[in-house]
């Protein structure tokens, strides 16, 4: 029965996924497009792993835009518990209601204050109570505790939530679940098995250039290629913090902003704007003008 | 779901792929992939779809479905090619540490795959001496030896010559690591009494008193246990000690919920996976092979640099203690070592340096490397016998 809800949505053909993602400004490779397509046809969550800054979170955003549905995000952190992720009661209102009905029959007061009106939805509950299946992004699931992970596994297989005071709430629609992990902790085998898997890598020069062109419509093709090549070269340097795709976009926007058409035309400007990419003092001291020039030399 | 992707029985290409799917799945399992029944079932659905006809479509679909971790992701192409396209597979080795089922997997998965490699063949050699103690986790049989145990605890590892005694020392080291873990957890539970109010329960109980919260309910929060990263010096100068520490590391990795282990000599090797092997003797054997360095010397600074660059981001959190076991004889530049120690110090919670030589008479940390590292060390302790390892436990509990 639950599956039938998903079926009411149109199943997007696989070949169309890449194009429709590109239309939202996300340039996906074939593997990712396949994984996103399988998510729907098999009804499994998708686990994305990869270094920080490769654009894992962006995948969820693009998927939501592509499907024209809501994105509900749960950011995990150490100590995240079910209360914060699932639901909470509105304590202030409950206290007021109890005070206002002082002297009433205790059972009726209890029924009142544990009703829908006093329930605060948190991301997980919200995600299964939407009319139209949303995209649920469970970000950095490796930061949450093992206990929470086990609970998540249960939710992801049943898609129903039991609230002791209210009873069981079944899903109105099954969300598209995307989990991301940075690998700070080893995830359980059970969770890994439950999910489809995709390892996100830094885009190659060609794809990064296409990302730049999709996001910054005003940029020249040649400049986009140069920037992508330069960032690719910087990533190969042993920096403490490898610049991500978002940083590339910032840098490209800065270069476009100062009206640069060719990186070789003004190496000084290139060096001065590197702060968009290089973000620790140590890395900054390593990226001297000489290093910048050497890397620029590699860029066609 | 099944309504959309129905399984055709008359589809030729699909039928072919389907008949060989079981072999592929077995092949993946032999290579340590997590593949269960539901994955196989979903794979059948994929085959029934439009993807079965073209390899270029089948590959990414299977990849997303069957992979579960980065190492799977990397190896998938080789295994896929070997099985479906019949390419040789030299580099794929068995790493999960399960007993080899090579013969069955070869025979069964070979149906029609001409040049299938040997995915199930382990890269491990069985050693005679490792077999005698197949069950190190078994705690029985130790208590009778209490008196020898006592003296053993104080004996410098260098002076243990008798293989049986050495074995006993190994087991003690392992048990110690286990007990350490258990005690750490228990202590944490007892110590904390929750300072935070549990509003949900408090309000529930206040209904009976007309909304006045007479009875406060607290939330007891358990601390997360410590995460431990062990870096073991496996160079020649440490060789007398490294076998005992390997055993200790095995216990640590097995019993700390979150622990990582590395070996270094002239370069750094990540060994956590190999140490997760349940059979301690076997794990240590594999370790010993990895520990054989190339060339002489110890490059502590360089190894730490590798660690800081490639692994620290992943394995170190704010509640990580780093334990370095080394005699501090570094053939690299002391400045480089100091730099890396500084970088490491910034990231982690505590650095513990265990040096077996402290236990020697009239030893002072004069090695240049040791001197360079000293300012960044939180605890500099001896580790030449089991007693000194035991003495660490209260310190770890306080972190």
């Amino acid at each position: 029965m639950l599956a039938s809800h998903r079926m009411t949505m149109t199943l997007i053909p696989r070949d169309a996924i890449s194009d429709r993602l590109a239309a939202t400004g996300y340039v996906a490779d074939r593997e990712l497009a396949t994984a996103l397509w399988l998510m729907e046809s098999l009804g499994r969550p998708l686990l994305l792993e990869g270094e920080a800054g490769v654009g894992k979170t962006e995948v969820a955003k693009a998927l939501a835009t592509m499907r024209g549905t809501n994105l509900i995000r749960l950011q995990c952190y150490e100590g995240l518990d079910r209360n914060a992720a699932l639901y909470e009661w509105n304590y202030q209102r409950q206290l007021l209601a109890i005070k206002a009905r002082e002297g009433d029959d205790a059972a009726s007061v209890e029924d009142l204050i544990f009703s829908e009106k006093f329930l605060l939805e948190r991301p997980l509950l919200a995600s299964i109570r939407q009319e139209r299946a949303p995209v649920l992004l469970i970000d950095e699931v490796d930061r949450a505790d093992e206990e929470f992970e086990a609970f998540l596994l249960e939710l992801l297989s049943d898609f129903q939530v039991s609230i002791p005071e209210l009873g069981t709430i079944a899903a109105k629609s099954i969300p598209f679940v995307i989990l991301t992990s940075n690998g700070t902790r080893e995830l359980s085998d059970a969770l890994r098995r439950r999910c489809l898997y995709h390892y996100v890598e830094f885009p190659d020069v060609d794809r990064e250039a296409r990302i730049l062109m999709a996001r910054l419509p005003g940029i020249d093709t040649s400049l986009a290629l140069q920037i992508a090549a330069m960032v690719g070269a910087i990533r190969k340097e042993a920096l403490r913090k490898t610049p991500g795709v978002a940083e590339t976009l910032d840098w490209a926007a800065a270069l476009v902003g100062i009206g640069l058409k060719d990186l070789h035309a003004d190496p000084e400007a290139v060096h001065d704007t590197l702060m968009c990419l290089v973000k620790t003092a140590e890395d900054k001291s390593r990226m001297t003008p000489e290093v910048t020039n050497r890397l620029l030399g590699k860029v066609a | 779901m099944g309504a959309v992707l129905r399984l055709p029985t008359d589809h030729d290409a699909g039928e072919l792929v389907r008949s060989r799917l079981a072999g592929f799945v077995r092949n993946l399992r032999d290579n340590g992939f997590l593949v269960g029944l539901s994955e196989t079932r979903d794979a059948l659905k994929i085959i029934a779809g439009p993807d079965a006809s073209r390899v270029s479509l089948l590959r990414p679909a299977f990849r997303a479905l069957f992979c579960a971790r980065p190492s799977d992701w990397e190896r998938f192409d080789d295994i896929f090619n070997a099985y479906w396209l019949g390419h040789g597979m030299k580099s794929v080795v068995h790493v999960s540490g399960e007993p080899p089922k090579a013969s069955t997997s070869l025979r069964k998965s070979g149906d029609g795959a001409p040049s299938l490699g040997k995915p199930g063949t382990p890269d491990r050699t069985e050693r005679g001496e490792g077999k005698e103690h197949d069950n190190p986790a078994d705690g029985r049989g130790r208590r009778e030896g209490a008196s020898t145990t006592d003296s053993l605890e104080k004996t410098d590892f260098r002076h243990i010559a008798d293989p049986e005694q050495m074995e006993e020392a190994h087991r003690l080291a392992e048990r110690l690591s286990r007990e350490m873990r258990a005690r750490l957890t228990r202590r944490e539970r007892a110590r904390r009494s929750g300072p935070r109010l549990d509003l949900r329960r408090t309000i529930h109980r206040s209904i009976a008193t007309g909304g006045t919260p007479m009875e406060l309910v607290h939330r007891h929060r358990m601390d997360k246990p410590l995460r431990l990263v062990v870096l073991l010096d496996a160079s020649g100068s440490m060789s007398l000690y490294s076998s005992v520490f390997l055993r200790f590391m095995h216990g640590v990795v097995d019993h700390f919920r979150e622990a990582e282990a590395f070996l270094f000599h002239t370069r750094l090797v990540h060994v956590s996976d190999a140490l997760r092997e349940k059979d301690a003797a076997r794990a240590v054997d594999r370790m010993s092979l990895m520990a054989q360095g190339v060339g002489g010397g110890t490059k502590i600074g360089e190894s730490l640099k590798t660690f800081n660059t490639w692994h620290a981001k992943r394995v170190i959190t704010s509640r990580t203690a780093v334990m370095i076991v080394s005699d501090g004889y570094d053939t690299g530049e002391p400045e480089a070592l100091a730099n890396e120690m500084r970088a490491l110090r910034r990231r982690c919670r505590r650095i513990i340096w265990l040096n077996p030589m402290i236990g020697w008479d009239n030893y002072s940390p004069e090695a240049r490397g040791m001197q360079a590292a000293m300012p960044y060390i939180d605890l500099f302790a001896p580790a030449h016998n089991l007693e000194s390892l035991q003495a660490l436990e209260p310190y770890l509990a306080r972190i």
Side-chain angles (χ1 to χ4, degrees), chain A residues 193-208:
Chain A
R193 254 181 59 182
R194 181 84 195 91
C195 297
L196 297 170
Y197 184 82
H198 182 79
Y199 190 83
V200 191
E201 283 169 82
F202 281 116
D204 54 24
V205 172
D206 182 53
R207 193 154 77 86
E208 191 148 32

Side-chain angles (χ1 to χ4, degrees), chain B residues 10 43 75 104 126 156 171 277:
Chain B
D10 51 351
R75 291 183 302 154
T104 47
E126 205 83 51
D156 192 309
R171 269 185 241 165
E277 163 114 53

Side-chain angles (χ1 to χ4, degrees), chain A residues 14 44 87 184 192-193 197, chain B residues 42 57 64 68 200 227:
Chain A
R14 185 168 79 165
R44 283 176 183 252
Y87 70 94
T184 58
R192 285 184 181 277
R193 254 181 59 182
Y197 184 82
Chain B
D42 282 352
L57 295 176
R200 190 177 282 186
R227 176 186 262 230

